[in-house]
Amino acid sequence: MSEFKRVTPDFTVAAQLGADDIARAAAEGYTTIIVNRPDDEAPGQPSANEIKSAAEAAGLNFRSIPFSGLPPAPAVVMETAQALDEAKGPVLAYCRSGTRSITAWALAKALVGSHTPDEIIALAQKAGYDLSGARGALETLAPKA
């Protein structure tokens, strides 16, 4: 089972999910699963379609926004912002370690201006991720006063 690392009341990240994690996510009240990990990144990794099937069977929405490397492309940030905006409840996003997922979330939140760069970095730190190196990108995306 993967550890769920809550970032905000509405957003949590995790490492690679399995079918058992999906049932737990539904039981804990998540409404949407976002995958940021491309298929076939590692041997034995469940495919996005396998996780999608389990999510939909559990009554969860599923979004596939895979990307490799950091930072994510602008299209990934925009799609993440849209997915977060459309979510009807708490979101659980996953990749290999959670780092890509929290980075996509951070840049999306900076882009829409719902959190300041300092708030984003502090929330990520509290969840166990150091996004201080992304401060420049967060500040560039943040709306100007």
Side-chain angles (χ1 to χ4, degrees):
M1 280 197 150
S2 188
E3 178 184 1
F4 295 177
K5 297 180 179 181
R6 188 168 301 275
V7 181
T8 70
D10 293 325
F11 186 76
T12 299
V13 297
Q16 177 67 54
L17 298 181
D20 54 342
D21 293 310
I22 301 303
R24 187 172 116 227
E28 291 183 17
Y30 293 96
T31 62
T32 301
I33 303 289
I34 296 175
V35 57
N36 294 122
R37 188 174 192 188
D39 280 342
D40 301 320
E41 194 174 58
Q45 158 193 340
S47 72
N49 279 336
E50 290 174 71
I51 300 299
K52 178 181 181 181
S53 293
E56 289 176 348
L60 303 176
N61 295 312
F62 181 86
R63 294 287 290 262
S64 181
I65 313 174
F67 65 98
S68 296
L70 290 173
V76 169
V77 175
M78 293 290 294
E79 191 172 352
T80 300
Q82 181 179 3
L84 294 171
D85 183 57
E86 293 172 355
K88 304 288 190 241
V91 173
L92 175 60
Y94 76 93
C95 57
R96 187 189 64 76
S97 68
T99 301
R100 278 178 279 194
S101 294
I102 199 161
T103 303
W105 167 85
L107 295 171
K109 288 300 184 178
L111 179 67
V112 300
S114 62
H115 294 75
T116 68
D118 286 340
E119 290 168 338
I120 291 166
I121 290 168
L123 288 165
Q125 185 67 44
K126 194 172 173 185
Y129 296 92
D130 181 4
L131 294 185
S132 60
R135 180 178 294 282
L138 295 170
E139 289 175 352
T140 297
L141 288 172
K144 308 303 178 246

